[in-house]
């Protein structure tokens, strides 16, 4: 079982930055290598899409083309937290952002992930 809790979403102006955090319960230690972890987002009327995903080893699996060069996924093993640093935010980044985890093999499909946080809203205005 993996308990995930996202935070850090906010309303910002275009060009601004946010850092999202996904705090894991102590039942799962980030860095133990058991789960693929990363970030998805879903805007109203849109499908849930992968944003930034890591392999269970912690290496980068995927960045969406739309966020490459602007978003960075990272992890802090000591704090048992996964982060998404988002820079140069654009209105099209507006969405509910979710932290997710799943056992390997690590894939890009949201429906394959078993564990989800509650989501944190990011709103970017022009």
């Amino acid at each position: 079982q993996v308990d995930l809790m996202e935070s850090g979403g906010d309303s910002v102006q275009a060009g601004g930055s946010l850092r999202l955090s996904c705090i894991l319960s102590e039942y799962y230690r980030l860095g133990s290598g058991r789960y693929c972890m990363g970030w998805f987002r879903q805007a109203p009327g849109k499908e849930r899409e992968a944003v930034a995903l890591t392999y269970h080893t912690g290496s980068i699996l995927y960045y969406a083309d739309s966020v490459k060069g602007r978003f960075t996924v990272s992890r802090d093993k000591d704090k048992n937290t996964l982060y998404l640093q988002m820079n140069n935010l654009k209105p099209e980044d507006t969405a509910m952002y979710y932290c997710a985890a799943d056992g390997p093999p690590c894939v890009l499909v949201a429906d394959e992930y078993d564990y989800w946080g509650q989501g944190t809203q990011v709103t970017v205005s022009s």
Side-chain angles (χ1 to χ4, degrees):
Q1 189 85 329
V2 183
D3 295 324
L4 310 170
M5 184 175 182
E6 308 97 329
S7 64
D10 206 349
S11 297
V12 298
Q13 293 292 120
S17 297
L18 289 172
R19 187 176 71 167
L20 306 184
S21 300
C22 175
I23 302 173
L24 285 65
S25 73
E26 289 299 316
Y27 294 110
Y28 178 69
R29 302 184 201 89
L30 190 62
S32 67
R34 185 173 180 181
Y35 293 108
C36 322
M37 299 195 67
W39 296 90
F40 292 80
R41 67 185 181 188
Q42 187 168 25
K46 303 290 185 180
E47 71 278 1
R48 189 167 298 187
E49 65 171 337
V51 176
L53 303 177
T54 66
Y55 289 101
H56 57 287
T57 60
S59 60
I60 301 301
L61 167 61
Y62 173 81
Y63 281 114
D65 287 343
S66 60
V67 308
K68 286 181 179 177
R70 299 189 298 120
F71 290 12
T72 304
V73 62
S74 62
R75 61 204 305 187
D76 188 324
K77 296 178 182 179
D78 292 336
K79 296 181 178 179
N80 216 34
T81 301
L82 188 76
Y83 298 100
L84 184 67
Q85 179 66 46
M86 305 185 296
N87 297 325
N88 192 24
L89 283 160
K90 303 176 179 180
E92 51 263 45
D93 295 319
T94 296
M96 185 72 73
Y97 283 72
Y98 298 91
C99 180
D102 193 46
C106 303
V107 299
L108 308 183
V109 182
D111 287 349
E112 297 296 325
Y113 282 71
D114 290 332
Y115 303 101
W116 295 86
Q118 83 288 349
T120 185
Q121 179 68 40
V122 172
T123 302
V124 185
S125 59
S126 300

